[in-house]
């Protein structure tokens, strides 16, 4: 298949969905798909075999839930706009307000929905500030000191999000803070949404701990319906992004394999977080084993690896095909010399990556394909010049 292309693997997707359905049953909770991490709607018929709801963060996502998933969304937005609000309500079963001021402004127009407030427990173990929703000065949620003793009568739930690809041990510690600060309001509620970031499909996730946590929670608050809304967990390790080498350039001893994809366009987390995916057939080198003369801008080599350990001729930076100078990712040791036309496979590139792409520089957007359980490959979408052009129409 022509590159670049995202390939979602149906067998792996179904494995995750089956596991999540089992966890939902064992924890007596509802698990719903967050579109902010995964929105490939041509896979929704598969999802509907395992789950019944989704979560949206905008009018477009709410419409996608209603139009393509076939069910109204659990919707939350940092701020609703007046001219979009009624349309969002029409596509939503649950609607969460980020602030008391947004609640006051809009709640009368949302009587058809089960209404909630996002709360801020002022605790999160997410180390990367870009992804920490509870960092000081956050714009997300209401702290306990700002809530009235008696909640408005039409508030039915709390929504709390403070995780990112976290384990159940992190959730256990977070839950302690949530209950310490907000449990006095629980008798006034019908549901609580613990948000996303619960990576139950990761191999080292302790599911048994989560089951115990939820069993104990239900004993304390038997009237509360519990909701989780992960995104990554559904699409975790469900497929790669396949690219090709289009050129190899060298400067100051640094060899860069330029690919037919862009990190800033098609893998932005690799620059933002930064996140380093596995590259099939290559080893990521934390620090280049080159001498200081080879480093631009006086970059320190105090932690560099002894060059004798590696075959420098097979050591490459992977470069994107955009005009952004920093559109490259790390140093990678291959077991052979790369050739133009050779495929480079980035593992686990479905969740978040596919929803965050852009068309900067008009670089060819990766196609989207599905490898079905029987091994056959179906091209779901091929992007064209018209897609780039019409974005500015």
């Amino acid at each position: 298949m022509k590159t670049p292309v995202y390939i979602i693997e149906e067998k792996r997707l179904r494995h995750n969905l089956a596991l999540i359905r089992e966890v939902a049953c064992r924890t007596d909770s509802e698990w719903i798909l967050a579109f902010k991490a995964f929105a490939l709607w041509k896979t929704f018929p598969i999802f509907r075999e395992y789950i019944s709801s989704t979560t949206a963060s905008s009018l477009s996502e709410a419409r996608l839930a209603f139009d393509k998933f076939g069910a109204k969304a659990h919707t939350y937005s940092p701020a609703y706009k007046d001219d979009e609000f009624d349309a969002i309500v029409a596509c939503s079963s649950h609607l969460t307000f980020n602030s008391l001021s947004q609640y006051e402004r809009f709640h009368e127009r949302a009587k058809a929905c089960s209404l909630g407030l996002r709360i801020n427990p002022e605790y999160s173990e997410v180390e990367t500030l870009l992804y920490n929703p509870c960092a000081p000065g956050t714009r997300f949620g209401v702290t306990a000191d700002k809530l009235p003793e008696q909640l408005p009568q039409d508030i039915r739930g709390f929504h709390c999000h403070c995780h990112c690809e976290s384990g159940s041990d992190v959730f256990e510690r977070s839950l302690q803070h949530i209950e310490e600060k907000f449990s006095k309001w629980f008798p006034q509620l019908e549901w609580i949404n613990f948000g996303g970031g619960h990576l139950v499909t990761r191999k080292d996730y302790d599911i048994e701990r989560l089951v115990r946590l939820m069993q104990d929670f239900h004993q304390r608050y038997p009237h509360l319906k519990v909701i989780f809304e992960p995104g990554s967990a559904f699409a975790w390790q469900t497929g790669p992004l396949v690219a090709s080498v289009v050129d190899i350039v060298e400067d100051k001893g640094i060899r860069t394999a330029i690919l037919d994809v862009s990190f800033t366009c098609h893998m932005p987390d690799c620059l933002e977080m930064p996140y380093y995916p596995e590259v099939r057939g290559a080893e990521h080198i934390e620090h280049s084993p080159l001498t200081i003369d080879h480093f631009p801008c006086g970059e320190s080599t105090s932690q560099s690896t002894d060059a004798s350990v590696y075959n420098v001729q097979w050591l490459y930076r992977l470069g994107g095909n955009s005009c952004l100078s920093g559109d490259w990712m790390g140093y990678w040791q291959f077991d052979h010399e790369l050739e133009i036309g050779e495929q480079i496979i980035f593992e686990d590139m479905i969740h978040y990556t596919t929803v965050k792409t852009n068309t900067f520089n008009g670089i060819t957007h990766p196609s989207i394909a599905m490898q079905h359980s029987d091994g056959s490959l179906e091209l779901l979408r091929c992007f064209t010049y018209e897609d780039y052009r019409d974005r500015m129409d």
Side-chain angles (χ1 to χ4, degrees):
M1 179 171 288
K2 183 179 178 182
T3 65
V5 56
Y6 298 105
I7 302 176
I8 183 166
E9 300 174 29
E10 181 181 354
K11 184 177 294 185
R12 291 186 173 187
L13 178 62
R14 286 187 178 276
H15 173 269
N16 287 354
L17 285 164
L19 177 59
I20 289 173
R21 181 173 60 185
E22 178 185 352
V23 170
C25 181
R26 294 187 63 195
T27 58
D28 190 19
S29 58
E30 182 177 17
W31 289 64
I32 63 181
L33 170 66
F35 286 162
K36 67 179 180 179
F38 183 89
L40 298 181
W41 56 266
K42 289 184 179 180
T43 65
F44 288 176
I46 297 174
F47 275 82
R48 287 305 303 264
E49 296 178 29
Y50 300 86
I51 65 172
S52 58
S53 297
T54 61
T55 179
S57 303
S58 63
L59 173 57
S60 291
E61 287 188 346
R63 287 191 58 183
L64 190 69
F66 191 72
D67 294 343
K68 295 299 183 181
F69 195 84
K72 291 186 176 183
H74 293 235
T75 304
Y76 159 80
S77 174
Y80 298 106
K81 294 176 60 178
D82 185 79
D83 61 341
E84 295 181 346
F85 189 74
D86 293 338
I88 288 175
V89 168
C91 297
S92 303
S93 61
H94 296 63
L95 192 142
T96 297
F97 294 103
N98 184 60
S99 66
L100 291 170
S101 59
Q102 280 265 299
Y103 165 80
E104 291 293 344
R105 182 179 177 186
F106 289 114
H107 76 104
E108 290 290 347
R109 293 163 58 183
K111 292 184 180 295
C113 301
S114 181
L115 303 184
L117 284 175
R118 176 159 178 171
I119 55 173
N120 175 12
E122 301 176 83
Y123 178 85
S124 174
E125 298 185 23
V126 179
E127 296 180 354
T128 304
L129 285 181
L130 183 66
Y131 301 118
N132 186 346
C134 299
T138 181
R139 67 190 194 280
F140 298 132
V142 182
T143 52
D145 60 303
K146 295 178 182 176
L147 286 176
E149 290 295 318
Q150 183 64 42
L151 295 173
Q153 289 187 350
D154 55 355
I155 291 297
R156 299 286 182 258
F158 279 166
H159 177 184
C160 180
H161 178 83
C162 54
H163 299 92
C164 179
E165 298 186 355
S166 303
S168 54
D169 57 328
V170 178
F171 179 51
E172 182 171 15
R173 293 188 289 271
S174 301
L175 186 58
Q176 293 173 358
H177 288 264
I178 295 169
E179 289 192 60
E180 286 173 5
K181 288 181 177 291
F182 295 98
S183 62
K184 70 177 182 179
W185 286 284
F186 286 1
Q188 303 177 42
L189 304 176
E190 297 175 359
W191 54 266
I192 185 164
N193 184 329
F194 288 120
H198 308 271
L199 196 46
V200 294
T201 49
R202 189 173 59 199
K203 289 183 179 180
D204 63 349
Y205 189 94
D206 188 348
I207 292 176
E208 298 306 318
R209 183 198 295 255
L210 178 65
V211 171
R212 292 193 300 269
L213 284 174
M214 286 295 94
Q215 287 174 342
D216 292 343
F217 186 85
H218 286 306
Q219 287 182 352
R220 294 192 296 276
Y221 315 104
H223 70 289
L224 280 181
K225 177 180 180 179
V226 175
I227 303 166
F228 293 90
E229 51 171 49
S232 295
F234 283 98
W236 183 257
Q237 295 288 350
T238 55
L241 170 59
V242 183
S244 295
V245 178
V246 292
D247 198 12
I248 298 173
V249 298
E250 182 174 344
D251 182 63
K252 305 297 185 183
I254 298 174
R255 304 182 79 195
T256 301
I258 302 180
L259 312 178
D260 58 358
V261 291
S262 161
F263 295 98
T264 190
C265 296
H266 310 134
M267 295 173 275
D269 282 344
C270 295
L271 303 184
E272 290 177 358
M273 194 163 188
Y275 158 73
Y276 294 110
E278 290 187 19
V279 176
R280 194 175 299 181
E283 177 188 358
H284 176 233
I285 306 303
E286 189 70 27
H287 301 279
S288 171
L290 301 173
T291 67
I292 193 166
D293 293 337
H294 293 142
F295 282 81
C297 305
E299 181 181 341
S300 171
T301 60
S302 60
Q303 301 182 63
S304 295
T305 308
D306 185 351
S308 64
V309 177
Y310 300 100
N311 186 331
V312 178
Q313 289 185 332
W314 298 344
L315 184 69
Y316 299 86
R317 288 197 318 194
L318 297 180
N321 202 13
S322 80
C323 293
L324 176 69
S325 297
D327 190 1
W328 58 273
M329 183 188 70
Y331 296 90
W332 299 83
Q333 178 71 56
F334 288 81
D335 60 4
H336 63 281
E337 185 171 359
L338 295 183
E339 297 181 358
I340 293 174
E342 181 174 347
Q343 289 188 350
I344 303 296
I345 301 175
F346 298 93
E347 307 286 7
D348 194 22
M349 277 287 140
I350 301 299
H351 61 92
Y352 274 102
T353 304
T354 53
V355 298
K356 295 179 73 172
T357 61
N358 62 71
T359 57
F360 171 64
N361 261 184
I363 298 170
T364 300
H365 192 288
S367 300
I368 301 173
M370 174 178 282
Q371 184 177 42
H372 292 289
S373 298
D374 63 3
S376 62
L377 196 65
E378 178 187 3
L379 183 63
L380 301 179
R381 176 67 190 273
C382 181
F383 294 86
T384 65
Y385 158 70
E386 286 74 23
D387 294 302
Y388 169 73
R389 180 198 66 192
D390 293 347
R391 186 170 178 271
M392 300 295 175
D393 190 358

